Amino acid sequence: MSSAEIAVKTLRRLEPEDLRVLAVIELDMSRHRYVPEADISRLSGLTPKQVNYRLQRLSGFGLIHRWVGPYVGYALSTVGYDCLAMNSLVKADLIEALGKPLGVGKESDVYDALSPDGRRIAVKFHRLGRISFRQTRRLRGYVAERRHISWLYQSRLAAEREFEALRIVHPHGVSVPEPIGQNRHVVVMSFIEGVELYKVSEMRNAEEVLNEVLENVRVAYQKAGVIHADLSEFNVLLKPDSHILIIDWPQFVRTDHPNADVLLRRDVENILRFFQRKMRIKRSLEDILEHIRHINMGFAS
Ligand SMILES: Nc1ncnc2c1ncn2[C@@H]1O[C@H](COP(=O)(O)OP(=O)(O)OP(=O)(O)O)[C@@H](O)[C@H]1O
Ligand SMILES: [Mg+2]
């Protein structure tokens, strides 16, 4: 069972005091890697004896880690953080039930889920800070100066960034999942059926698909002032109706970002490389960049 699945199961067994202690540990983790037991007592308003009882329960459920150093301290586990986020999202009436995993990777776990009004939604848990060169690259720019960046903070920041990007580009008609909600490291969005482009080996209308990807890049750039900055065949879904969807936005930048040109170029290059290699379509990178950066009417093939 994955962390999110364990969290959902465990959530049902938690009592309000368990959640209160969990939230206090989360809060104090901005100051301590391991939160001292005395702080938990003070901040939760529970007696030391009550706190001790809650800490044992939470440890037993695997929601916190106990650390013994110069003092005894506690830190949230991934499951503990998932519990806090799921509790808030359920209380906010955004999620009714978590379903099957859609993609469980290094940097996120995405689940099929149901909203209280019966809508099919996608729930993305960001998981950063687990040593990866790629993550460091993706995060560079928005967490540059902090020396110790906890996984908790990185993951929440990634979710906030992704939700922000979706909220900016979606109203402009860029083909992305509809943003529904966000809490901590979790983003809730509309579910879209589709296959990642890299898995598609045959396309009848490859020219149109390519045009549609580039047109979305152009609208995001021109109308929303946003560059995806991690665009590739891994982050474009091809829907059953042959239209596309661009996902995975936490590393977006604004078009006034100092690296905007480099990032836009890399995004477009990745897409063109894929279509050239797999679909034998050749386009001029420079012409396309010109199209994207300047006002005009879409892409001729
Ligand atoms: N809104 C959605 N609807 C349906 N499926 C989705 C949605 N968002 C993401 N997915 C699925 O989850 C997968 C991973 O999503 P995404 O690209 O956003 O995360 P990631 O950060 O790249 O994760 P990873 O670490 O696995 O690479 C996608 O390839 C897709 O299959
Ligand atoms: Mg991705």
PDB file of all heavy atoms in Angstrom, residues 107-108 124 134 138 196 228 230 232 234-236 247-251, ligand 2:
ATOM      1  N   GLU A 107       8.517  11.963  -8.092  1.00  0.00           N
ATOM      2  CA  GLU A 107       8.229  13.294  -7.581  1.00  0.00           C
ATOM      3  C   GLU A 107       6.765  13.507  -7.226  1.00  0.00           C
ATOM      4  O   GLU A 107       6.418  14.545  -6.680  1.00  0.00           O
ATOM      5  CB  GLU A 107       8.667  14.344  -8.616  1.00  0.00           C
ATOM      6  CG  GLU A 107      10.170  14.341  -8.799  1.00  0.00           C
ATOM      7  CD  GLU A 107      10.610  15.148  -9.998  1.00  0.00           C
ATOM      8  OE1 GLU A 107       9.829  15.281 -10.943  1.00  0.00           O
ATOM      9  OE2 GLU A 107      11.737  15.644  -9.976  1.00  0.00           O
ATOM     10  N   SER A 108       5.944  12.560  -7.572  1.00  0.00           N
ATOM     11  CA  SER A 108       4.538  12.694  -7.196  1.00  0.00           C
ATOM     12  C   SER A 108       3.824  11.355  -7.285  1.00  0.00           C
ATOM     13  O   SER A 108       4.271  10.446  -7.973  1.00  0.00           O
ATOM     14  CB  SER A 108       3.836  13.682  -8.133  1.00  0.00           C
ATOM     15  OG  SER A 108       3.560  13.051  -9.363  1.00  0.00           O
ATOM     16  N   LYS A 124      -3.154  14.844  -6.786  1.00  0.00           N
ATOM     17  CA  LYS A 124      -1.706  14.705  -6.952  1.00  0.00           C
ATOM     18  C   LYS A 124      -0.991  15.062  -5.655  1.00  0.00           C
ATOM     19  O   LYS A 124      -1.088  16.179  -5.166  1.00  0.00           O
ATOM     20  CB  LYS A 124      -1.229  15.613  -8.092  1.00  0.00           C
ATOM     21  CG  LYS A 124       0.270  15.560  -8.338  1.00  0.00           C
ATOM     22  CD  LYS A 124       0.658  16.287  -9.615  1.00  0.00           C
ATOM     23  CE  LYS A 124       2.162  16.328  -9.826  1.00  0.00           C
ATOM     24  NZ  LYS A 124       2.546  16.995 -11.080  1.00  0.00           N
ATOM     25  N   ARG A 134      17.260  15.801 -10.462  1.00  0.00           N
ATOM     26  CA  ARG A 134      16.249  16.450 -11.273  1.00  0.00           C
ATOM     27  C   ARG A 134      15.416  17.414 -10.428  1.00  0.00           C
ATOM     28  O   ARG A 134      15.083  18.514 -10.843  1.00  0.00           O
ATOM     29  CB  ARG A 134      15.368  15.379 -11.908  1.00  0.00           C
ATOM     30  CG  ARG A 134      14.433  15.953 -12.930  1.00  0.00           C
ATOM     31  CD  ARG A 134      13.780  14.876 -13.770  1.00  0.00           C
ATOM     32  NE  ARG A 134      12.574  15.448 -14.327  1.00  0.00           N
ATOM     33  CZ  ARG A 134      11.376  14.927 -14.162  1.00  0.00           C
ATOM     34  NH1 ARG A 134      11.226  13.818 -13.480  1.00  0.00           N
ATOM     35  NH2 ARG A 134      10.325  15.518 -14.684  1.00  0.00           N
ATOM     36  N   ARG A 138      14.621  21.250 -10.948  1.00  0.00           N
ATOM     37  CA  ARG A 138      13.259  21.769 -11.103  1.00  0.00           C
ATOM     38  C   ARG A 138      12.955  22.856 -10.089  1.00  0.00           C
ATOM     39  O   ARG A 138      12.195  23.760 -10.357  1.00  0.00           O
ATOM     40  CB  ARG A 138      12.250  20.632 -10.918  1.00  0.00           C
ATOM     41  CG  ARG A 138      12.046  19.829 -12.178  1.00  0.00           C
ATOM     42  CD  ARG A 138      11.308  18.535 -11.895  1.00  0.00           C
ATOM     43  NE  ARG A 138      10.013  18.761 -11.302  1.00  0.00           N
ATOM     44  CZ  ARG A 138       8.895  18.246 -11.790  1.00  0.00           C
ATOM     45  NH1 ARG A 138       8.906  17.535 -12.865  1.00  0.00           N
ATOM     46  NH2 ARG A 138       7.765  18.447 -11.171  1.00  0.00           N
ATOM     47  N   GLU A 196       0.114   9.483 -22.037  1.00  0.00           N
ATOM     48  CA  GLU A 196       1.270  10.341 -22.244  1.00  0.00           C
ATOM     49  C   GLU A 196       1.781  10.165 -23.676  1.00  0.00           C
ATOM     50  O   GLU A 196       1.850   9.046 -24.180  1.00  0.00           O
ATOM     51  CB  GLU A 196       2.399   9.999 -21.269  1.00  0.00           C
ATOM     52  CG  GLU A 196       2.101  10.295 -19.814  1.00  0.00           C
ATOM     53  CD  GLU A 196       1.513   9.094 -19.075  1.00  0.00           C
ATOM     54  OE1 GLU A 196       0.883   8.224 -19.730  1.00  0.00           O
ATOM     55  OE2 GLU A 196       1.693   9.029 -17.851  1.00  0.00           O
ATOM     56  N   HIS A 228       5.798  26.789 -19.368  1.00  0.00           N
ATOM     57  CA  HIS A 228       5.716  25.549 -18.599  1.00  0.00           C
ATOM     58  C   HIS A 228       7.060  25.200 -17.939  1.00  0.00           C
ATOM     59  O   HIS A 228       7.139  24.920 -16.758  1.00  0.00           O
ATOM     60  CB  HIS A 228       5.255  24.423 -19.536  1.00  0.00           C
ATOM     61  CG  HIS A 228       5.017  23.118 -18.853  1.00  0.00           C
ATOM     62  ND1 HIS A 228       6.041  22.335 -18.376  1.00  0.00           N
ATOM     63  CD2 HIS A 228       3.869  22.440 -18.559  1.00  0.00           C
ATOM     64  CE1 HIS A 228       5.531  21.235 -17.827  1.00  0.00           C
ATOM     65  NE2 HIS A 228       4.212  21.283 -17.933  1.00  0.00           N
ATOM     66  N   ASP A 230       8.946  22.604 -18.099  1.00  0.00           N
ATOM     67  CA  ASP A 230       9.323  21.184 -18.012  1.00  0.00           C
ATOM     68  C   ASP A 230       8.518  20.411 -19.057  1.00  0.00           C
ATOM     69  O   ASP A 230       8.089  19.291 -18.835  1.00  0.00           O
ATOM     70  CB  ASP A 230       9.060  20.645 -16.608  1.00  0.00           C
ATOM     71  CG  ASP A 230       9.680  19.264 -16.388  1.00  0.00           C
ATOM     72  OD1 ASP A 230      10.671  18.921 -17.067  1.00  0.00           O
ATOM     73  OD2 ASP A 230       9.171  18.502 -15.540  1.00  0.00           O
ATOM     74  N   SER A 232       7.564  18.273 -22.204  1.00  0.00           N
ATOM     75  CA  SER A 232       8.139  17.189 -23.006  1.00  0.00           C
ATOM     76  C   SER A 232       7.015  16.196 -23.277  1.00  0.00           C
ATOM     77  O   SER A 232       5.896  16.379 -22.793  1.00  0.00           O
ATOM     78  CB  SER A 232       9.260  16.484 -22.246  1.00  0.00           C
ATOM     79  OG  SER A 232       8.702  15.712 -21.195  1.00  0.00           O
ATOM     80  N   PHE A 234       6.503  13.611 -21.923  1.00  0.00           N
ATOM     81  CA  PHE A 234       6.071  12.978 -20.674  1.00  0.00           C
ATOM     82  C   PHE A 234       4.961  13.783 -19.993  1.00  0.00           C
ATOM     83  O   PHE A 234       4.259  13.258 -19.131  1.00  0.00           O
ATOM     84  CB  PHE A 234       7.257  12.833 -19.711  1.00  0.00           C
ATOM     85  CG  PHE A 234       8.305  11.901 -20.222  1.00  0.00           C
ATOM     86  CD1 PHE A 234       9.402  12.382 -20.930  1.00  0.00           C
ATOM     87  CD2 PHE A 234       8.181  10.536 -20.029  1.00  0.00           C
ATOM     88  CE1 PHE A 234      10.361  11.511 -21.434  1.00  0.00           C
ATOM     89  CE2 PHE A 234       9.136   9.661 -20.527  1.00  0.00           C
ATOM     90  CZ  PHE A 234      10.225  10.147 -21.241  1.00  0.00           C
ATOM     91  N   ASN A 235       4.835  15.040 -20.340  1.00  0.00           N
ATOM     92  CA  ASN A 235       3.859  15.899 -19.677  1.00  0.00           C
ATOM     93  C   ASN A 235       2.762  16.392 -20.609  1.00  0.00           C
ATOM     94  O   ASN A 235       2.084  17.365 -20.325  1.00  0.00           O
ATOM     95  CB  ASN A 235       4.571  17.071 -18.994  1.00  0.00           C
ATOM     96  CG  ASN A 235       5.350  16.602 -17.774  1.00  0.00           C
ATOM     97  OD1 ASN A 235       4.945  15.637 -17.113  1.00  0.00           O
ATOM     98  ND2 ASN A 235       6.465  17.251 -17.495  1.00  0.00           N
ATOM     99  N   VAL A 236       2.607  15.687 -21.729  1.00  0.00           N
ATOM    100  CA  VAL A 236       1.474  15.960 -22.618  1.00  0.00           C
ATOM    101  C   VAL A 236       0.649  14.683 -22.711  1.00  0.00           C
ATOM    102  O   VAL A 236       1.191  13.612 -22.980  1.00  0.00           O
ATOM    103  CB  VAL A 236       1.948  16.381 -24.030  1.00  0.00           C
ATOM    104  CG1 VAL A 236       0.751  16.607 -24.949  1.00  0.00           C
ATOM    105  CG2 VAL A 236       2.817  17.648 -23.961  1.00  0.00           C
ATOM    106  N   ILE A 247       0.087  18.753 -18.683  1.00  0.00           N
ATOM    107  CA  ILE A 247       0.031  18.557 -17.222  1.00  0.00           C
ATOM    108  C   ILE A 247       1.381  18.899 -16.577  1.00  0.00           C
ATOM    109  O   ILE A 247       2.332  19.239 -17.279  1.00  0.00           O
ATOM    110  CB  ILE A 247      -0.338  17.092 -16.867  1.00  0.00           C
ATOM    111  CG1 ILE A 247       0.674  16.100 -17.469  1.00  0.00           C
ATOM    112  CG2 ILE A 247      -1.747  16.767 -17.326  1.00  0.00           C
ATOM    113  CD1 ILE A 247       0.558  14.683 -16.914  1.00  0.00           C
ATOM    114  N   ASP A 248       1.413  18.828 -15.246  1.00  0.00           N
ATOM    115  CA  ASP A 248       2.670  18.871 -14.479  1.00  0.00           C
ATOM    116  C   ASP A 248       3.353  20.249 -14.542  1.00  0.00           C
ATOM    117  O   ASP A 248       4.417  20.405 -15.127  1.00  0.00           O
ATOM    118  CB  ASP A 248       3.608  17.775 -15.033  1.00  0.00           C
ATOM    119  CG  ASP A 248       4.662  17.355 -14.026  1.00  0.00           C
ATOM    120  OD1 ASP A 248       4.651  17.877 -12.906  1.00  0.00           O
ATOM    121  OD2 ASP A 248       5.498  16.504 -14.376  1.00  0.00           O
ATOM    122  N   TRP A 249       2.782  21.228 -13.841  1.00  0.00           N
ATOM    123  CA  TRP A 249       3.191  22.627 -13.969  1.00  0.00           C
ATOM    124  C   TRP A 249       3.994  23.237 -12.817  1.00  0.00           C
ATOM    125  O   TRP A 249       4.161  24.475 -12.813  1.00  0.00           O
ATOM    126  CB  TRP A 249       1.952  23.499 -14.176  1.00  0.00           C
ATOM    127  CG  TRP A 249       1.308  23.335 -15.517  1.00  0.00           C
ATOM    128  CD1 TRP A 249       0.480  22.321 -15.918  1.00  0.00           C
ATOM    129  CD2 TRP A 249       1.432  24.207 -16.657  1.00  0.00           C
ATOM    130  NE1 TRP A 249       0.084  22.515 -17.223  1.00  0.00           N
ATOM    131  CE2 TRP A 249       0.644  23.674 -17.695  1.00  0.00           C
ATOM    132  CE3 TRP A 249       2.125  25.404 -16.887  1.00  0.00           C
ATOM    133  CZ2 TRP A 249       0.539  24.271 -18.946  1.00  0.00           C
ATOM    134  CZ3 TRP A 249       2.015  26.010 -18.139  1.00  0.00           C
ATOM    135  CH2 TRP A 249       1.227  25.433 -19.151  1.00  0.00           C
ATOM    136  N   PRO A 250       4.479  22.492 -11.822  1.00  0.00           N
ATOM    137  CA  PRO A 250       5.048  23.198 -10.656  1.00  0.00           C
ATOM    138  C   PRO A 250       6.257  24.082 -10.959  1.00  0.00           C
ATOM    139  O   PRO A 250       6.542  25.005 -10.215  1.00  0.00           O
ATOM    140  CB  PRO A 250       5.437  22.068  -9.696  1.00  0.00           C
ATOM    141  CG  PRO A 250       5.484  20.846 -10.515  1.00  0.00           C
ATOM    142  CD  PRO A 250       4.497  21.036 -11.629  1.00  0.00           C
ATOM    143  N   GLN A 251       6.949  23.806 -12.045  1.00  0.00           N
ATOM    144  CA  GLN A 251       8.172  24.574 -12.312  1.00  0.00           C
ATOM    145  C   GLN A 251       7.960  25.704 -13.324  1.00  0.00           C
ATOM    146  O   GLN A 251       8.923  26.225 -13.867  1.00  0.00           O
ATOM    147  CB  GLN A 251       9.290  23.635 -12.776  1.00  0.00           C
ATOM    148  CG  GLN A 251       8.992  22.925 -14.087  1.00  0.00           C
ATOM    149  CD  GLN A 251       7.766  22.059 -13.986  1.00  0.00           C
ATOM    150  OE1 GLN A 251       7.721  21.201 -13.109  1.00  0.00           O
ATOM    151  NE2 GLN A 251       6.781  22.266 -14.839  1.00  0.00           N
TER     152      GLN A 251
HETATM  153 MG    MG B   2       5.312  14.538 -15.323  1.00  0.00          MG
END
